[in-house]
Amino acid sequence: MAGNEKVRVYDLARELGLSNKELLALLEKEGVEVKSHASSLDAETANLVRDMVIAEREKKKKALDAKIATPATAPAATPKTDKPAAQPQKPAEAVQPKIAAPVMQPPKPAGGKELHLKSPITVRDLADGLGVKPNELITRLMMMNIFAAINQVLDEDLVGKVCDQYGVKFIKVRRDKQQAQTQQKAGDAAPTERPAHLVSRPPVVVFMGHVDHGKTSIQDYIRKTHVAAGEAGGITQAIGASVANVGNQTITFLDTPGHEAFTAMRARGANATDIAVLVVAADDGIMPQTVEAIHHAQAAKVPIIVAMNKMDLPGANPDKVYRGLQQNGILPEDYGGEYAVVPVSAKTGMGINDLLDRILLEAEMLELKADPGAPFKGLVIEAQMETGMGPTASIIVQDGTLRVGDYLLCGKCYGKVKALIDSQGRRVAKALPSTPVKIMGLNGVPEAGEKIVICENEREAREKAQEIIDLERSEVPTERTVSLDNLFAQLDAQEKPTLKLILKTDVRGSLEAIVDSINKIKSDRVSVSVIHSGVGEITENDVILAAASKAVIMGFHVRAMPGVNKVAKQKGIEIRLHSIIYDLLAEVENAMRGQLAPEIQEKFLGRAEIIQVIEVSKVGKICGCKVIDGLIRVNAKAKVYRNKELIYNGQIQSLKHFKEDVREMKAGLECGIRLDNFEDFEEHDVIEVFEAIQVAAQL
């Protein structure tokens, strides 16, 4: 019954103890046509391959038996060799009569030599040291009743016995001793010896796909964190990098946004990665950003694995996904293609282990290597200005090792690494290849996607950065104060009005994407111009520039510091804060089209005062409030005022009365309020709750 089933090449390789490449080479030699390790073999071909490999191993076993039997006839000659041993030449040889026979093996050029290895020692390491093929060594181990895979760690006593059979004396060395010997042997040949320092590195995997198809949720399930819950609107709006432990192996994950405005960020994620996981919702199928993600991954020439998510939903339709993939050039393995499609559910965890196994299988085929001793090379995944930390950059180490104290050049920015923070928020002394870290110490916020190089000293880094800055100097245009509400009045004039914007965001990637989206907005009657953009909080300098340029200030995931709002009111400058890109772009478009609902008309619901800030473990801060006017409702929009100045604009995430979750609370009652992605509140802050009502305006 099982004989009619097809077998994947990688499953057969695992069964026979061969690497995928070795089995593919064997199949090619025998004239069996397969495209990749994911191809299928019929049962008859698989059985023929099994018989062939077993027969070859039996043949090698008999040959080895014959070789071992040949020295066995030599004991009669041993006394003759004992007599010369009495010569004062090498008295130590009299102590080692047992090793004399293996040393005489003719096929081993290393006979009589010492083999220095550090533990742990795998079958591959020992085979490389002895100068034999791993398959041959595995066969010899099988003769010793030891069944070992190519990457299995061997016991030191066993390594000694195997070395004795090859006429080699095994010597275990410590790491520092081995490095010293390597340096002595290398000498002037250091550049040629460099490939010997290549070591396996974790794969860098990017999750790509359409908005809200579950990219972050799948990673969330894998690494047991809750990133998605903290995203405004439930969508990822910046690239996140993290590390997940899968058994004794690690995988570096990159998460890219799905919103159409973030094309550059998805392309950057694909170019920084080894494997792309294309997440497709089983109920939605292939969507515009899914197609775009496929093109980015194909352009980057990285293997693609399709994760068919949301299989737990009643509306899941795998056939719809398969059809959409075929139409876009992705032929699944089930249809005879090369692309794995793994059904998963980020909610229940179904298929997640299969997805991880497939990622590790693809990584094994890629044979990912890096040299920790090489000069450091890295890539900026994201960069931002953080309160209390200054400019920070999230990077991926591509080669070499980054250490605290290194001098870096990153485009127009430079600096000395003051701290390295890993994906768990811990400070580390160094970062090895494929490791995502946040670096502190740069003098500015670098461009996302910028390459990082190491310099000998700060002076060299500063001079190179200054050369780049001198080439990119730009003018800031100046020219009447305007607000979004009175912009339409300017249409009465014969000249074409221009909406001037100053844009501030939390991270560099979001800034690039939003500026690009704004520049794509076209209108015959109104134009838009971003006269200044930057990363970080809205400052007094931004207000001064807005007043001089008659511009409107827009903030995305940032806040205006207390005092800045006061200056803005004095100068008649509007500051608009947003947490979701849809709202920001819609506000700009509505203002340009004259559909003057940028404020969206807020219907007041209620007001509450924070009387106590409560710290809850695993949850964060919750504000204990008293409703002083109207009512407070879950999921309603909320603004937080401190001394009558706006410091937060978002929504209410949850509402509790004692320990009970409630939908709304009325005036006079006390309750616990948790705001979406905001915990910087204090006692006596006022929370205003309102409902947003859109009113369409005509031209």
Side-chain angles (χ1 to χ4, degrees), residues 537-538 559-566 642-643 645-647:
E537 295 163 340
I538 297 169
R559 64 174 186 171
M561 295 297 290
V564 172
N565 282 310
K566 187 177 180 181
R642 183 174 299 157
N643 299 325
E645 291 184 357
L646 177 68
I647 61 169

Side-chain angles (χ1 to χ4, degrees), residues 613-616 619-623 673-674 678-681:
V613 178
I614 306 164
E615 188 86 27
V616 180
V619 175
K621 291 182 180 179
I622 293 176
C623 40
I673 298 176
R674 185 153 190 253
F678 181 74
E679 293 185 350
D680 189 22
F681 35 70

Side-chain angles (χ1 to χ4, degrees), residues 279-423:
V279 180
V280 184
D283 55 341
D284 274 355
I286 305 299
M287 303 294 280
Q289 274 70 63
T290 314
V291 177
E292 186 186 273
I294 291 171
H295 295 160
H296 285 313
Q298 289 175 333
K301 296 181 180 178
V302 295
I304 299 173
I305 301 171
V306 180
M308 188 160 52
N309 193 24
K310 302 188 181 182
M311 289 296 291
D312 56 303
L313 296 180
N317 187 352
D319 291 337
K320 180 181 178 182
V321 176
Y322 281 118
R323 283 196 304 272
L325 289 171
Q326 281 183 288
Q327 290 167 3
N328 288 279
I330 303 294
L331 189 61
E333 286 179 353
D334 294 345
Y335 288 12
E338 300 179 14
Y339 297 95
V341 179
V342 185
V344 299
S345 169
K347 186 171 285 188
T348 66
M350 181 203 84
I352 296 294
N353 289 334
D354 295 335
L355 177 62
L356 294 174
D357 288 343
R358 192 53 194 254
I359 290 172
L360 293 174
L361 174 66
E362 293 291 346
E364 180 189 333
M365 288 300 297
L366 292 172
E367 294 183 347
L368 302 169
K369 303 281 185 183
D371 184 359
F376 163 72
K377 287 195 300 183
L379 188 74
V380 176
I381 299 301
E382 199 47 87
Q384 54 271 320
M385 180 75 72
E386 296 190 43
T387 306
M389 298 175 72
T392 62
S394 301
I395 69 161
I396 285 282
V397 179
Q398 295 180 309
D399 203 7
T401 302
L402 177 62
R403 295 178 174 83
V404 174
D406 285 345
Y407 294 97
L408 301 180
L409 173 66
C410 185
K412 296 180 286 186
C413 302
Y414 70 93
K416 180 181 179 181
V417 179
K418 294 179 181 176
L420 295 173
I421 302 171
D422 68 6
S423 58

Side-chain angles (χ1 to χ4, degrees), residues 205-207 215-216 219 223 227 236 238-241 253-257:
V205 180
V206 65
F207 279 74
K215 299 177 295 297
T216 305
Q219 295 175 79
R223 61 182 179 246
V227 176
T236 308
I239 286 186
F253 290 121
L254 296 184
D255 190 9
T256 63

